[in-house]
Amino acid sequence: MTSLEQRPDQMATTDAAAYALSAKRFEKMRPLAGSKTPVVLDGLPPGPGWPAIIQSIGLLRFRHRFVPWAHRRYGDAFTVRILPQGRPLVLFTLPEHAREIFAGDPEVFHAGKGNAILGPMMGEHSLLLQDSSEHKRARKLLMPAFNGHALREYAALVTDVATAEVDSWLPGESFSALERMNRLTLEVILRVVFGVSDESRLAQMRPRVNKVVDISPAILFGYGMPRLQKLGPWKRNKENSFELDALIYAEIRERRAAPDLASRTDVLSRLIRVGTEGDDSDRLTDEELRDQLVTLLLAGHETTATALAWALYELGRSPSLLARSREAAATGDDAWLEAVLKESMRRHPVIPMVVRTLMKPATVGGYDLPAGTTVGPSIIIAHSRADNHAQPDVFRPERFIDGQPATNTWIPFGGGVRRCIGAGFSLMEGVVVLREVLSNYAVEAMGEDQPKVRNITSVPREGAVVRVTR
């Protein structure tokens, strides 16, 4: 069998090749909304009659006020018209609605189409953007890198990164938990997922990754407008993406030729080895590897960091919860630490919704919806309904200890065949980090905080400032 190192069709061998692949990604992903044919709104659930641009701004920029308002005003299912062309997004808020969507025929309920706005960042091969047989193949190839055995090996690496971060803290200092957790989870991604250990390359990748993550909703809108790619922040964002791609492709190229590839335990090395053992010859190309790595970066870096920042903030507001959590860290009670992390994800949703675009007419929640409609459970509402979670405004990790919430009432990782492949990694990482922090420090929240929108995620507006003491 020909080795991967000898297959030029699977390799981006130069910076010029990396640049060409990056440019192709932006060109391919311009039609973010799919078909240009407008969807007839007759028969859809009610919703505001404002211009699509106003509704889009409300959904992307002010979602934590806009979505609850729409739920109160229009009921358990409502329609929002979004750019481009005022296409309908129908948000559902009941567990039975989520069940229908998650269990829907994947040939009809396309998640990739619903996530198309992320295309220029993640690439057409991203697990989040693929559908049907392509998604099934990609998920099959990625799964071995996230099974239980792999997670146990990653845990030791995550512990090393977390220990190094916590050891750099000074007793009595106050800082943004979000900033420190972002720094920590980025290091986990680069070292555990990308497998980068060379400090010079890490120094090159860190600022470029941060620029990819820290973008505004305006940049996301600009992805569908080619003229904007030549202007100001859109141009700089595109150039930064190209520079990051060149570094990623260089890392992939060198890793394929690494003499210790067979013994390496990072995610990238595992993905490169897929299909090289046994009779299965299906393998991931360099372009596919790049897209999946960036997907893992964007989906697993800031989301986990934000959940951890909110967790530390909430523990810092409750001496009793902090005491119990520090005891759990000391005694190895990982179930309680995981409950703290899960409650953080429930109380402070990082992602607002889980979406699917209908490729054929379908019925959801009793509504007959036309092809082209995007549908999705609202995570914001599902996590804040009193009939889903008693006393929803109270931070109570016990709800994940005394009895798990009912199915489809806690959905930070989505559900069905599209449930986030990195869910286990995220929870493992969060538990390890909480254990390291709380084994060394008590935390105190400094002031109040509330969510704000940054790109497609929501983060603490003030950064979840805490003070740590021995």
Side-chain angles (χ1 to χ4, degrees):
M1 180 180 295
T2 304
S3 71
L4 279 176
E5 293 81 9
Q6 297 171 324
R7 293 179 61 181
D9 62 303
Q10 291 202 334
M11 299 179 67
T13 56
T14 65
D15 288 346
Y19 183 94
L21 289 172
S22 302
K24 182 178 71 172
R25 184 175 74 253
F26 274 81
E27 288 295 324
K28 279 188 173 184
M29 302 308 296
R30 279 179 177 175
L32 298 180
S35 171
K36 293 184 179 180
T37 304
V39 176
V40 178
L41 298 180
D42 292 345
L44 298 184
W50 312 334
I53 187 171
I54 300 300
Q55 296 192 48
S56 298
I57 292 172
L59 184 67
L60 288 179
R61 189 69 182 87
F62 304 102
R63 65 181 63 132
H64 294 281
R65 283 180 283 173
F66 175 73
V67 172
W69 169 83
H71 178 229
R72 293 191 301 269
R73 175 68 175 81
Y74 299 106
D76 292 329
F78 52 92
T79 302
V80 180
R81 291 186 296 114
I82 57 176
L83 295 176
Q85 301 177 330
R87 299 182 66 81
L89 165 65
V90 181
L91 290 178
F92 293 90
T93 62
L94 293 174
E96 51 266 37
H97 296 158
R99 181 176 64 249
E100 290 181 49
I101 294 170
F102 292 152
D105 182 353
E107 298 296 328
V108 177
F109 291 74
H110 273 201
K113 295 290 189 301
N115 294 322
I117 195 172
L118 302 174
M121 284 192 294
M122 293 187 175
E124 65 178 309
H125 304 292
S126 165
L127 193 65
L128 286 180
L129 272 68
Q130 291 182 314
D131 289 299
S132 304
S133 59
E134 291 181 344
H135 175 265
K136 185 176 181 180
R137 168 187 173 267
R139 194 174 180 92
K140 176 184 175 183
L141 294 177
L142 266 64
M143 277 301 294
F146 295 95
N147 61 26
H149 174 73
L151 291 180
R152 286 189 290 275
E153 291 189 331
Y154 300 148
L157 297 174
V158 175
T159 300
D160 291 342
V161 174
T163 299
E165 169 61 35
V166 174
D167 284 349
S168 72
W169 297 357
L170 299 175
E173 72 170 329
S174 299
F175 53 76
S176 162
L178 179 64
E179 179 185 339
R180 297 294 175 93
M181 293 300 102
N182 265 323
R183 186 170 71 185
L184 193 161
T185 59
L186 173 58
E187 208 67 14
V188 168
I189 291 289
L190 294 179
R191 294 180 181 273
V192 180
V193 176
F194 284 56
V196 180
S197 56
D198 179 71
E199 185 55 43
S200 63
R201 182 157 292 168
L202 286 169
Q204 289 179 299
M205 294 184 79
R206 288 184 190 113
R208 290 169 174 82
V209 169
N210 284 326
K211 288 180 182 178
V212 169
V213 172
D214 190 14
I215 62 174
S216 70
I219 298 294
L220 293 178
F221 273 129
Y223 283 149
M225 304 173 187
R227 292 182 180 179
L228 287 180
Q229 302 304 321
K230 301 176 182 179
L231 303 176
W234 295 276
K235 180 181 179 182
R236 290 192 294 272
N237 175 72
K238 187 176 180 179
E239 291 172 346
N240 179 74
S241 180
F242 286 10
E243 292 168 359
L244 178 60
D245 282 355
L247 293 171
I248 293 175
Y249 280 122
E251 192 67 35
I252 293 171
R253 182 173 64 251
E254 293 172 15
R255 190 68 52 78
R256 287 195 188 280
D260 62 343
L261 175 64
S263 62
R264 293 180 66 106
T265 59
D266 57 87
V267 173
L268 172 56
S269 297
R270 291 175 188 271
L271 295 181
I272 289 176
R273 293 200 301 266
V274 167
T276 62
E277 303 169 356
D279 298 328
D280 187 354
S281 60
D282 194 7
R283 307 176 190 179
L284 292 162
T285 66
D286 281 14
E287 194 174 358
E288 289 176 313
L289 284 168
R290 178 267 168 210
D291 291 354
Q292 303 303 359
L293 287 173
V294 172
T295 297
L296 294 172
L297 165 67
L298 295 176
H301 164 35
E302 189 175 45
T303 51
T304 303
T306 302
L308 282 165
W310 280 121
L312 294 176
Y313 168 81
E314 292 287 359
L315 294 180
R317 300 174 72 200
S318 171
S320 60
L321 283 180
L322 176 63
R324 180 167 180 181
S325 300
R326 297 199 67 218
E327 180 182 2
T331 60
D333 185 1
D334 287 352
W336 173 260
L337 297 180
E338 183 174 297
V340 169
L341 190 67
K342 287 181 174 179
E343 177 68 346
S344 174
M345 295 176 177
R346 182 204 67 80
R347 182 69 182 84
H348 303 282
V350 181
I351 302 295
M353 55 196 167
V354 189
V355 294
R356 308 282 190 268
T357 295
L358 301 180
M359 306 309 293
K360 297 179 181 179
T363 301
V364 180
Y367 290 94
D368 296 326
L369 306 175
T373 305
T374 298
V375 301
S378 169
I379 299 177
I380 292 174
I381 302 302
H383 286 192
S384 62
R385 290 184 68 113
D387 50 354
N388 287 346
H389 309 280
Q391 297 180 293
D393 294 335
V394 179
F395 190 85
R396 290 184 57 249
E398 294 89 346
R399 70 179 85 241
F400 291 92
I401 297 293
D402 300 336
Q404 295 297 312
T407 304
N408 295 320
T409 63
W410 184 78
I411 51 175
F413 299 113
V417 297
R418 302 291 304 226
R419 189 174 189 270
C420 176
I421 196 172
F425 186 99
S426 176
L427 293 173
M428 175 277 293
E429 179 184 5
V431 167
V432 168
V433 172
L434 285 177
R435 186 193 311 134
E436 289 302 309
V437 172
L438 298 175
S439 294
N440 289 277
Y441 287 105
V443 295
E444 177 187 0
M446 307 300 290
E448 297 295 317
D449 215 329
Q450 58 183 336
K452 75 168 183 178
V453 176
R454 184 166 72 178
N455 55 68
I456 62 168
T457 63
S458 297
V459 301
R461 180 176 296 278
E462 307 300 331
V465 177
V466 298
R467 180 167 59 200
V468 294
T469 55
R470 288 291 185 185

